[in-house]
Amino acid sequence: NIVAEYDRLVDLASKGKIKFEDRHIGPIELLFLYTESFSVLHPTLQPKVPRRKEIMNYYQRQAARYWQSLGLYERGLAALTLHRIGRHDVPETIVRSLRELSHASEEMGTHWKSSNFGYHFYDAPIETQALLVEAFNEITEDNSFVDELRLWLLKNKQTNHWRTTKQTTEAIYALLVGGTNWLESTDLVTVSVGKNLMPVAGAEPGTGYVTHRYPAPEVTKEMATIAVSNPNRAVAWGAAYWQYLESLDKIKSFEETPLQIKKELKRVLVTEAGEVLKPLGDDKPLRIGDKVRVRIEIRVDRPMDFVHLKDMRASGLEPVNVLSSYKWQDGLGFYEVTKDLATHFFFDHLPEGTFVLEYSLVASQVGSFSNGITTMQCIDRKS
């Protein structure tokens, strides 16, 4: 426990084996300080820890002196603790530093990018974001910045699965602890489709969820312009879908999405130096038995859980791999399934970045075929 650890440090320092003022503070000691700081907010909560004041003063000095060597979560603990005991200069410096390290996006809100997120409790991104929401709300009282931090939590939930009850409860606490009250306004969002307002009768109580379908005869060119007016201070989400029939070879890719896909087919030539990839062309049609390499480049601007990639193929091509199995390629783990019309890839987790997937086909028929389309979807967020 914390008392035994403190006594161990005192004993080692008395024997000259360590320097008592060197850094001897970590996440456990900071959690102790954070827990004890609630007794400042609520004086009736006075835990019975032997030599409590002596131990707290030592670790408070440690936190104030060595906060720059701490991680994001630990800095949040240090800032909150020191602020509650009245050391306002250090917490203000910590939150100023954290603000400078943050990454802001109009769509995604504000968060911290770190390569140190791992399996320890102080390395968890959701818990870290939630704690920093609490820190900025309590220390700075900057509602606009706190709202940006809360927005990131909501956007993260759209495409990610929070795997533990601790993540969920911490995030809910952060969404309710401060910032603008997003629950006080219940006015419905106004949506203009072309020159007409979208009907909102029958909106779901509480969430304001509403949907409306326009039959094909009512659809006009003017309806391509959609305007949304949100009278509330809370963020709102929506989606518009235009469904119609089109030939596969006339479908065009749309790149203004979080997920972007670029697909290429290359002819595989075997030479003395090994395999050489050549682009396909009308001047050099495939012959039966020719090998084709499919190259799919994936670009994703945010982490996503449970992603499905469906890659259709021409009926004149047959897959080399017909067995379903889990694979690892270009830093991605996925489950590959080969079906009659397409090859499917299932990702438990797709991190932010650019990735390339490849698999092989063999020409089995002669003729002109449509290669189909490639679609990718986060199952957590079907919009």
Side-chain angles (χ1 to χ4, degrees):
N1 58 43
I2 200 72
V3 177
E5 175 62 18
Y6 178 76
D7 289 339
R8 187 184 71 85
L9 293 176
V10 172
D11 180 61
L12 292 175
S14 64
K15 297 177 180 178
K17 294 182 178 181
I18 64 169
K19 292 183 178 180
F20 200 53
E21 294 305 317
D22 285 350
R23 178 186 167 179
H24 301 293
I25 189 169
I28 300 300
E29 290 77 18
L30 286 164
L31 271 181
F32 163 74
L33 289 179
Y34 175 72
T35 304
E36 290 288 332
S37 69
F38 284 98
S39 64
V40 178
L41 301 177
H42 308 282
T44 56
L45 300 176
Q46 294 290 341
K48 297 179 180 180
V49 178
R51 309 197 324 274
R52 172 177 173 272
K53 188 174 183 180
E54 175 188 347
I55 298 174
M56 281 195 64
N57 288 339
Y58 172 71
Y59 284 118
Q60 287 166 7
R61 294 195 304 271
Q62 288 269 302
R65 183 172 182 179
Y66 295 107
W67 68 265
Q68 295 185 41
S69 62
L70 303 174
L72 293 173
Y73 187 86
E74 298 160 295
R75 291 188 187 190
L77 293 175
L80 280 167
T81 299
L82 295 173
H83 175 75
R84 290 170 180 174
I85 65 172
R87 290 283 303 273
H88 299 300
D89 54 333
V90 177
E92 290 175 359
T93 303
I94 293 176
V95 296
R96 190 184 310 118
S97 172
L98 289 171
R99 191 190 293 262
E100 293 172 355
L101 294 172
S102 65
H103 177 79
S105 166
E106 182 179 359
E107 179 190 1
M108 298 297 296
T110 301
H111 72 294
W112 286 264
K113 291 187 175 182
S114 175
S115 59
N116 297 324
F117 289 136
Y119 293 100
H120 297 98
F121 72 88
Y122 50 86
D123 292 332
I126 301 301
E127 288 90 327
T128 297
Q129 183 81 6
L131 181 74
L132 294 179
V133 169
E134 181 184 2
F136 275 90
N137 177 70
E138 193 168 316
I139 298 171
T140 69
E141 299 182 355
D142 184 349
N143 282 348
S144 61
F145 190 79
V146 171
D147 286 346
E148 290 297 308
L149 299 180
R150 296 159 73 205
L151 174 61
W152 184 87
L153 285 172
L154 292 177
K155 294 294 292 184
N156 180 273
K157 188 65 182 74
Q158 280 188 327
T159 58
N160 289 273
H161 169 55
W162 292 347
R163 290 171 171 80
T164 66
T165 54
K166 183 174 183 289
Q167 286 184 330
T168 303
T169 52
E170 293 278 7
I172 292 175
Y173 175 72
L175 292 171
L176 298 175
V177 70
T180 305
N181 187 350
W182 287 347
L183 302 177
E184 64 180 356
S185 300
T186 57
D187 297 331
L188 295 178
V189 172
T190 302
V191 181
S192 299
V193 182
K195 298 180 180 179
N196 302 316
L197 291 177
M198 188 187 82
V200 294
E204 184 179 78
T207 64
Y209 174 79
V210 64
T211 181
H212 185 74
R213 182 188 298 271
Y214 293 93
E218 298 181 12
V219 177
T220 62
K221 291 183 178 180
E222 289 76 15
M223 298 175 72
T225 302
I226 300 176
V228 180
S229 176
N230 182 10
N232 307 306
R233 291 188 292 177
V235 64
W237 283 281
Y241 303 92
W242 182 22
Q243 295 180 329
Y244 59 96
L245 299 177
E246 183 60 279
S247 300
L248 283 176
D249 56 350
K250 294 182 180 180
I251 297 176
K252 297 180 180 180
S253 63
F254 182 68
E255 297 184 352
E256 296 180 18
T257 66
L259 281 173
Q260 298 181 18
I261 308 172
K262 182 180 179 182
K263 178 180 176 180
E264 293 180 321
L265 268 65
K266 302 281 189 179
R267 184 198 307 266
V268 180
L269 300 178
V270 180
T271 67
E272 294 181 356
E275 291 187 342
V276 177
L277 302 182
K278 296 290 185 180
L280 299 181
D282 295 335
D283 55 332
K284 294 182 179 180
L286 291 171
R287 296 176 297 179
I288 294 178
D290 282 353
K291 192 174 182 180
V292 177
R293 183 70 47 79
V294 180
R295 184 180 188 273
I296 303 174
E297 181 181 297
I298 304 169
R299 294 179 182 269
V300 57
D301 70 347
R302 69 199 68 180
M304 296 185 180
D305 288 338
F306 310 132
V307 177
H308 173 218
L309 170 64
K310 178 183 178 181
D311 182 39
M312 301 178 69
R313 61 178 175 272
S315 57
L317 298 174
E318 292 295 331
V320 173
N321 174 51
V322 296
L323 299 179
S324 301
S325 63
Y326 190 87
K327 293 185 176 180
W328 183 267
Q329 189 177 120
D330 196 32
L332 281 180
F334 55 88
Y335 193 80
E336 180 180 334
V337 179
T338 302
K339 295 290 187 179
D340 292 339
L341 300 178
T343 299
H344 300 260
F345 302 86
F346 298 91
F347 305 88
D348 284 339
H349 179 71
L350 186 63
E352 177 183 352
T354 302
F355 308 93
V356 176
L357 300 179
E358 291 185 345
Y359 68 98
S360 298
L361 305 172
V362 174
S364 61
Q365 302 291 335
V366 176
S368 178
F369 303 93
S370 172
N371 194 43
I373 60 175
T374 303
T375 58
M376 198 169 189
Q377 182 181 52
C378 177
I379 305 301
D380 259 12
R381 185 194 180 192
K382 295 188 178 182
S383 61

